Amino acid sequence: MDELDRLTEPGTDLLRRVDNLLSSAGAPEAHRIWPLLRRLRALPGEAFGAFTELRPEPLTTAGHAVRKLIREYDDAGAQLADPGDWSGAGASAFADVRSALVTHLDEGPESLVGRLEATAGYADALADWIDRSRLALARTLAEALGSAEAVTVVAVTATGDDGSGDGAGRAAGAAAAEIGARILATLSVAYDGAERLLREWGPSLAESAYRPPAPAPNRFGLTTRIGR
């Protein structure tokens, strides 16, 4: 359990009230919450609920699993690299193919092992992003829960006011907008971080293409390709 888990229950209750006020009365004109609502396309409570479902543990586990596969690929590459006792025309013809397979399997960042290493690294980076983003959201939520705006929102909504009526209701709507803007701003920064990670890691996660050896000429001067 992390800090966000400890605050999820009271945070969910407060943000449910915030969403209700924003849905019924809207936010003050030109308030900073409007561009955030347009960008995230979700009310603060909805966005918060979706984000709290993100956990780093599955990604960390996936990274470990991929690294186990890397060891298996290394073993397969070592077996391919060993020509054994095979000799003669067949062994010579297959040597280039075997070399191409070894390169495809375990040589350089574009090999299968290289892509697996990148995949594991990306999983670790995402897990770290989730950890840091959850902590940032927990801090923002803690501030919101202890704010004067939260007192106003809870006091007014406890009476059944939807924020569309008198001055107190309008004040609650403005308070809800301010709380919502804080939550959405933190989530917006988090999503910027996720998009940045994808841009950074994307090229390393591309499909690894096998490059067969060049066709070898036979005794008739024609070329014969072994493998695909």
Side-chain angles (χ1 to χ4, degrees), residues 32 36 39-40 140 180-190 192:
R32 65 190 181 108
L36 292 166
R39 183 187 180 193
L40 297 181
T140 299
R182 295 176 191 175
I183 297 297
L184 292 180
T186 299
L187 290 174
S188 182
V189 171
D192 283 340

Side-chain angles (χ1 to χ4, degrees), residues 74-186:
D74 285 338
D75 292 342
Q79 293 178 22
L80 277 172
D82 181 8
D85 297 330
W86 192 15
S87 61
S92 178
F94 188 66
D96 289 342
V97 175
R98 182 165 48 80
S99 177
L101 286 172
V102 170
T103 299
H104 177 55
L105 185 66
D106 194 10
E107 288 188 12
E110 295 184 3
S111 68
L112 292 176
V113 167
R115 293 300 193 233
L116 285 174
E117 289 173 343
T119 299
Y122 182 52
D124 290 345
L126 282 177
D128 180 65
W129 166 75
I130 292 174
D131 266 332
R132 289 184 286 105
S133 298
R134 286 178 64 88
L135 178 59
L137 184 57
R139 289 172 175 171
T140 299
L141 182 58
E143 293 174 0
L145 287 167
S147 67
E149 289 85 0
V151 173
T152 299
V153 166
V154 172
V156 170
T157 55
T159 66
D161 196 327
D162 64 1
S164 60
D166 59 14
R170 290 192 295 274
E178 183 59 29
I179 292 172
R182 295 176 191 175
I183 297 297
L184 292 180
T186 299

